[in-house]
Amino acid sequence: RGDWHDLLQELSAEIDMTSDQARKVSLALLRGTVYRDQLEDYPKAVACFESVLAEPTGRVPGLMALERLYPRIGDFDKLAATYRAIADVTTDRQAKLAALRELTRVMETHGVGSRERLQATYEELLELVPGDLFSLERLEDLARTGNDPVLAERVYLQLAEVTDEPPLRAHYLTLLATAMEAQQNFRAIDIYRRAIEEDQEQLAAVRGLARLAEGLGDAGALADASRLEAEQTSDPTIAAKLYVRSASLRIGTDLDGGLSDLRHALGLHPEVESAANQLATALTEANRLGELIADLSGAARACKSNSRAAELWLQVATIQADLGRHASGITSLQRGLSARADHVPSL
């Protein structure tokens, strides 16, 4: 060790004597190497390498050496500053990319720097590698934890653009629309539609579409959303009510579409009275009573509730009587009484 100390003194003396700046840098780098590799005196090695950073010939080798030394002395603020400096001075794209990735790692792992600085660094990475999934996912986390809907919009749009999987793209589009909706940006309704086009099973998008459509008074969109949600709902009672809502919104402009919704509702849950009533009104006004008799008879046969079955058979019998089909009407009444013998209106 004495020999190394003697060498350090000689190097220090030569630094003081020489006027050649490049020579001074070279000697200081050598002193730092001795402290680091031979004496393992890291603080003094750091001081040597830091002393050359202001010189053009010493900046890059000094930064490279300090990158290895700062973790050893636990100075992560300076390590982050070193990666920032390396990214700024290097002209090599891959080296710049590596430095920025290390910078974000140090910032996140050791809590160095502000949230704004971290966000800016990830955005700088995206300029180098557009669509970089890791950077986008980290920005997504920053947007979520920082409650930043503006950043969230930007990130979710990019995530939707870079993924090739329709369900995942639909997921990101739904998140984008939700962020837009939170900002009172009603163009979100179009984004919800895009998400549903990618994946009709994206229930959050369907419900978002319904929510916005109702708020905006868009009956067509609300009807579409109601049907889509009904198709995904496992509870037949809820699904039937959703079909009824869809029918009530579109039956005035799309009779057959509305009738289809009502028939779906009765098929799922024949006891839903509103479906039968709307069907009766629409088909009676359209003078399609034969269809109405068939629809109500089918619902009556499928009913699990004897009381509701008797009511439907009575409704069928009344229509048949109005048409002069008295024998058929009597048969329907008998079926109603078979379902419930004490059904007073049928008696």
Side-chain angles (χ1 to χ4, degrees), residues 203-276:
L203 188 56
V206 172
R207 288 175 173 166
L209 177 62
R211 187 171 55 248
L212 265 184
E214 189 167 16
L216 295 171
D218 188 333
L222 182 55
D224 291 343
S226 298
R227 286 195 306 281
L228 286 167
E229 185 171 354
E231 290 169 6
Q232 297 179 52
T233 301
S234 58
D235 186 322
T237 302
I238 295 174
K241 289 178 179 178
L242 287 165
Y243 276 120
V244 170
R245 181 170 71 172
S246 173
S248 67
L249 290 164
R250 67 173 181 155
I251 204 163
T253 55
D254 179 9
L255 176 60
D256 288 333
L259 292 174
S260 175
D261 289 341
L262 294 170
R263 286 165 177 152
H264 270 105
L266 286 175
L268 287 166
H269 193 39
E271 287 84 359
V272 176
E273 190 172 343
S274 57

Side-chain angles (χ1 to χ4, degrees), residues 96-170:
K96 185 180 186 73
L97 183 62
L100 289 174
R101 290 200 187 283
E102 284 300 306
L103 172 56
T104 59
R105 181 187 63 79
V106 172
M107 293 176 77
E108 295 219 48
T109 303
H110 300 285
V112 175
S114 65
R115 176 188 177 279
E116 291 73 21
R117 186 67 258 168
L118 181 61
Q119 176 183 327
T121 306
Y122 279 122
E123 289 175 340
E124 190 175 352
L125 276 167
L126 283 173
E127 292 177 9
L128 285 172
V129 187
D132 179 55
L133 191 58
F134 178 78
S135 296
L136 287 170
E137 287 175 345
R138 296 306 303 132
L139 284 171
E140 178 193 9
D141 186 61
L142 287 175
R144 185 173 57 253
T145 57
N147 192 28
D148 187 341
V150 175
L151 175 60
E153 284 185 34
R154 206 162 65 240
V155 171
Y156 290 135
L157 178 59
Q158 291 181 74
L159 283 167
E161 289 172 346
V162 300
T163 181
D164 295 326
E165 300 176 24
L168 186 56
R169 187 158 51 245

Side-chain angles (χ1 to χ4, degrees), residues 147 149 153 175-185 188 192 212:
N147 192 28
E153 284 185 34
L175 293 173
L176 168 60
T178 303
M180 293 172 69
E181 187 181 356
Q183 291 291 98
Q184 299 294 304
N185 183 344
Y192 281 129
L212 265 184

